[in-house]
Amino acid sequence: MPSITNIANTCSHLQNASRARLALTSIPSNKYNLHFALALHRSGFFSSVYRAGPHPPTAEQMASVPPEPVTAANVATRRLWLGLKYWDGKPVLSKANVISKPSRLMTVNIEQLAKLTRGFPAKLDGGVVQGLNLGECMFVSTSKGVLEAREALAKKLGGVLMCRVS
């Protein structure tokens, strides 16, 4: 289980980067951030996810050069470079709010997740979580990695609610 504080930092960084209208931003490269970034990419919030060094790669490098493998010598300098998307001058990722907190982990089972994805609130051990609205995605940390709530429901997996993105 990853650090909830790390999730909160990543969510606030992504929200600030999209508000600043950045085309490319980076987060620390670790396995959990990679799974989270790929889940956001599958949901359409990012145009690209690329692992590189401390300096941003060019568009040509991202398209043609495979990422450098991570070794013990370069692991500390690796970053995940995320291409942010915009539609009609507005960021696709406008809000990223953390659901679970370090003092209150929100775990869901399949029945509760089904209620949340249909838009109904669900009462969990940590409190009440509002259902999804139009254009929102909720991400769940499951035993199969980080999945969007609808993906987790299709695979019949519960887990820890991470964040909600719109």
Side-chain angles (χ1 to χ4, degrees), residues 31-129:
K31 190 187 297 186
Y32 197 71
N33 280 348
L34 178 64
H35 288 298
F36 182 47
L38 290 174
L40 284 164
H41 180 66
R42 280 192 309 270
S43 296
F45 290 102
F46 295 148
S47 61
S48 61
V49 176
Y50 189 79
R51 182 183 286 144
H55 303 291
T58 63
E60 294 81 26
Q61 286 175 329
M62 290 172 58
S64 61
V65 178
E68 183 181 329
V70 178
T71 63
N74 71 3
V75 69
T77 62
R78 298 296 94 184
R79 307 278 299 167
L80 289 176
W81 290 91
L82 310 171
L84 299 176
K85 281 184 166 180
Y86 297 92
W87 182 259
D88 288 336
K90 296 179 183 169
V92 173
L93 189 151
S94 58
K95 282 205 240 175
N97 298 327
V98 177
I99 298 172
S100 291
K101 297 182 179 171
S103 62
R104 185 183 63 182
L105 289 180
M106 302 286 210
T107 57
V108 291
N109 58 28
I110 299 164
E111 293 83 22
Q112 294 165 332
L113 196 56
K115 284 178 73 174
L116 288 171
T117 56
R118 288 192 314 252
F120 296 107
K123 184 164 180 5
L124 308 177
D125 291 337
V128 175
V129 175

